[in-house]
Amino acid sequence: MTTTHSYRLINFALVITVIATLSLAVVAIILPALGEHMLTTWHIEFASSAGSYHDVLPAGKWGIESNQGTLYIQTSGFGFAISRALTILLIGGLISYALCGLRQFMNDLQTDRPFKISTPTLLKKVATSFIALAVLLYVEVIIRFYLFMPDAFEIASFYVTHIKVSPAHGESFYIFGSFYWGLLAAGLFLLAISRAFTLGLSLQTENDEII
């Protein structure tokens, strides 16, 4: 695939990302107004391997799917809708920011002088957005739990790597947030590439001065 094709593909991806982000955010806010419930889930592991049951607390707002290992909440509240919309906008914004940096990078590669002063900075911005996206996706799981799970602070304990939930009537279980190591690796890789471009730019400048 040529740089021209890559540039066009990134442009297309950027347009799709912006449209999808805005559309999903609007839908998230509109659903409660229509009386529709929104579902949010967390993957869980029981403290005992024998844990496999369906348990709906007296509040009737959340439960555990039998044999599924999934904790769920159904709600039509605007607070959750706004939270989800903001999360969608943050995630979509970071992806769009990364695509904009890649778009400019591919545009620079199509010129006779790919090593430009702005290139290392562009790569660092893309790398930062990847790392920030990985952190956001992990932290969002924890924040969402404590904001919207009934009695979360009374029944749950936070341990950085996981949350231990101890319901008053039921077996304890753990919630593990998914950390997207691929995004972190991609960010670190791009930081290394930006360093390589910095060295290339330095060599190119020295060559120009000699000529």
Side-chain angles (χ1 to χ4, degrees):
M1 183 181 292
T2 64
T3 54
T4 300
H5 290 153
S6 298
Y7 179 76
R8 291 175 179 173
L9 182 60
I10 291 173
N11 276 335
F12 177 74
L14 179 59
V15 172
I16 295 299
T17 299
V18 172
I19 293 175
T21 299
L22 295 176
S23 300
L24 290 173
V26 170
V27 169
I29 294 176
I30 289 178
L31 283 178
L34 299 177
E36 296 291 335
H37 283 81
M38 300 181 71
L39 178 68
T40 186
T41 61
W42 298 267
H43 293 294
I44 66 173
E45 292 183 13
F46 291 99
S48 169
S49 59
S52 176
Y53 61 94
H54 179 75
D55 179 27
V56 179
L57 294 191
K61 294 182 179 179
W62 67 285
I64 299 172
E65 292 285 353
S66 177
N67 300 314
Q68 296 294 321
T70 301
L71 175 69
Y72 69 88
I73 292 181
Q74 287 188 356
T75 179
S76 58
F78 275 103
F80 180 64
I82 293 173
S83 171
R84 176 163 286 183
L86 288 176
T87 301
I88 291 171
L89 290 174
L90 282 173
I91 293 174
L94 285 172
I95 295 174
S96 299
Y97 183 73
L99 288 173
C100 284
L102 289 174
R103 175 177 176 273
Q104 185 59 50
F105 174 67
M106 296 305 299
N107 186 50
D108 290 346
L109 289 181
Q110 297 181 72
T111 65
D112 296 332
R113 296 175 64 85
F115 296 103
K116 295 184 178 181
I117 296 177
S118 62
T119 301
T121 302
L122 284 173
L123 290 175
K124 287 179 181 178
K125 288 182 178 180
V126 176
T128 301
S129 66
F130 282 168
I131 295 172
L133 184 58
V135 173
L136 174 63
L137 291 172
Y138 177 76
V139 172
E140 184 271 335
V141 172
I142 300 167
I143 294 176
R144 177 160 42 90
F145 176 85
Y146 277 99
L147 281 178
F148 300 104
M149 178 60 62
D151 304 321
F153 288 96
E154 285 73 25
I155 63 174
S157 301
F158 177 63
Y159 293 96
V160 180
T161 58
H162 65 278
I163 300 172
K164 181 179 180 181
V165 184
S166 303
H169 306 285
E171 183 182 352
S172 296
F173 57 87
Y174 304 98
I175 295 176
F176 293 90
S178 298
F179 191 83
Y180 294 83
W181 294 102
L183 288 172
L184 178 62
L188 295 176
F189 176 75
L190 286 176
L191 286 177
I193 294 297
S194 70
R195 177 59 180 169
F197 266 82
T198 299
L199 294 175
L201 180 62
S202 177
L203 292 174
Q204 178 178 270
T205 302
E206 292 178 3
N207 182 64
D208 291 342
E209 290 176 350
I210 294 174
I211 295 176

